[in-house]
Amino acid sequence: MVAFVWLMLVAYAGLILPASSQEDNNKNIFILAGQSNMSGRGGVNNGTWDGVVPPQCQPNPAILRLSSELNWVEASEPLHKDIDVNATCGVGPGMVFANTVLDNKNSSMSIGGVVGLVPCAIGGTKISEWARGTYLYNQLVNRASAALQDGGGSIQAVLWYQGESDTVNPDDAALYKGRLERFFMDLRADLQSPLLPIIQVALASGQGPYIEKVREAQLGIDLANVKCVDAKGLQLEPDHLHLTTQAQVQLGEMLANAFLQTLPTPTSCLDI
Ligand SMILES: *[C@@H]1O[C@H](CO)[C@@H](O)[C@H](O)[C@H]1NC(C)=O
Ligand SMILES: *[C@@H]1O[C@H](CO)[C@@H](O)[C@H](O)[C@H]1NC(C)=O
Ligand SMILES: *[C@@H]1O[C@H](CO)[C@@H](O)[C@H](O)[C@H]1NC(C)=O
Ligand SMILES: *[C@@H]1O[C@H](CO)[C@@H](O)[C@H](O)[C@H]1NC(C)=O
């Protein structure tokens, strides 16, 4: 009898363990980079986060994040708390994005398994600070490589939201398009994924006077598999600088829908 129970336990474990390692092998990795609105300031006022986490941003055992120590941990808001350490972080688009991608019920556009988020955004950074060879660029590539280390997954896309800091000075704005394209191309080359989907956000308004120049650059990127969602019209915090929590929820959903559109649609047998 004891032997029988033991056998049953072994058989049960045998059913469970391959399933969980299969999940790990199926990690869908997303890189989050850019500046403060990607890092997340939703709910932050006067340097304090209100702690409000809407239903769309709730943790889920199938959503992990790569910590600053390069460990996978269950993800929760604020996603960038140990990355963008010199700022008070709040809600960003990452958790909403992950929940929306996982909730997608359209089987022709769904990913299985686990989502692994790799937060890399730092507030107040210019595009020149993300060029190949810089500290931020190396951090990004190192974190992306660490995410792949256990062999359990692949990078599905980069989510990029940056440019506010390049709207202040006319030279930065004029050089923005070339620098952004260079950055995308270098990153794809270094991640060995020449057509890696990149979903970027076009800024809505800004502190600097050259916002239209930067927006034109963002909306005019002509590289395959680079998509742009527009933040125009999304609500800002009383500081007039950052997206509110509700706006981040909308943005995360927009990013998720744009990503889901990049997935290959299965060809129908009837078409052959
Ligand atoms: C932030 O501080 C300002 C000035 O002290 C105050 O008027 C405002 O009500 C504060 N906002 C919040 C959300 O606490
Ligand atoms: C935080 O600030 C310190 C001191 O200015 C600086 O050395 C460090 O690079 C900053 N870290 C980040 C992530 O911005
Ligand atoms: C599922 O996605 C495919 C590909 O984008 C689309 O053609 C189809 O209409 C979608 N189906 C539903 C039910 O949304
Ligand atoms: C945050 O995003 C909004 C909407 O795009 C933009 O108006 C604002 O300038 C951004 N702020 C920063 C600091 O990037």
Side-chain angles (χ1 to χ4, degrees):
M1 183 62 195
V2 168
F4 176 73
V5 168
W6 186 79
L7 270 177
M8 287 298 287
L9 282 174
V10 170
Y12 183 67
L15 284 175
I16 297 293
L17 293 177
S20 67
S21 62
Q22 201 175 28
E23 268 189 357
D24 284 349
N25 285 335
N26 205 2
K27 205 179 283 135
N28 298 282
I29 297 168
F30 295 93
I31 314 285
L32 278 52
Q35 48 182 111
S36 53
N37 281 314
M38 177 58 77
S39 169
R41 303 289 186 267
V44 175
N45 270 300
N46 294 342
T48 311
W49 180 45
D50 62 14
V52 175
V53 178
Q56 298 93 329
C57 313
Q58 292 294 328
N60 173 335
I63 305 176
L64 307 178
R65 65 186 283 278
L66 193 74
S67 73
S68 61
E69 270 151 18
L70 307 179
N71 298 314
W72 287 113
V73 297
E74 190 173 314
S76 62
E77 300 286 5
L79 264 187
H80 279 77
K81 58 198 152 202
D82 62 345
I83 301 292
D84 193 7
V85 292
N86 290 337
T88 304
C89 294
V91 172
M95 288 302 291
V96 185
F97 172 85
N99 275 309
T100 308
V101 165
L102 282 175
D103 278 352
N104 185 271
K105 295 293 184 293
N106 185 339
S107 59
S108 71
M109 303 197 299
S110 73
I111 57 168
V114 167
V115 167
L117 300 173
V118 182
C120 299
I122 305 286
T125 50
K126 291 185 182 190
I127 188 71
S128 55
E129 294 174 73
W130 289 90
R132 189 188 236 159
T134 59
Y135 173 77
L136 291 175
Y137 184 87
N138 292 339
Q139 275 292 97
L140 198 171
V141 172
N142 290 344
R143 286 177 57 70
S145 311
L148 292 168
Q149 202 108 72
D150 57 10
S154 58
I155 300 176
Q156 298 287 329
V158 173
L159 309 183
W160 175 253
Y161 190 177
Q162 188 275 339
E164 162 69 15
S165 292
D166 293 278
T167 65
V168 178
N169 169 312
D171 295 333
D172 285 337
L175 292 169
Y176 192 75
K177 185 156 190 258
R179 286 175 171 170
L180 186 60
E181 282 179 347
R182 182 82 259 154
F183 168 69
F184 288 163
M185 289 188 290
D186 287 342
L187 193 56
R188 283 172 161 180
D190 290 331
L191 297 178
Q192 285 154 17
S193 183
L195 284 175
L196 180 65
I198 298 173
I199 322 286
Q200 52 147 355
V201 184
L203 298 173
S205 56
Q207 292 286 87
Y210 302 101
I211 181 88
E212 277 312 318
K213 188 85 192 152
V214 170
R215 268 179 67 79
E216 255 171 53
Q218 292 170 324
L219 293 164
I221 295 292
D222 190 19
L223 295 175
N225 268 1
V226 176
K227 297 213 167 197
C228 194
V229 303
D230 198 343
K232 202 160 205 161
L234 295 182
Q235 195 190 28
L236 298 180
E237 290 285 2
D239 66 4
H240 296 297
L241 200 54
H242 295 121
L243 296 183
T244 62
T245 294
Q246 271 318 307
Q248 289 287 14
V249 169
Q250 287 172 268
L251 181 69
E253 287 170 353
M254 286 159 69
L255 288 165
N257 290 329
F259 166 70
L260 290 167
Q261 300 297 329
T262 70
L263 295 178
T265 43
T267 47
S268 161
C269 298
L270 294 173
D271 289 339
I272 296 171

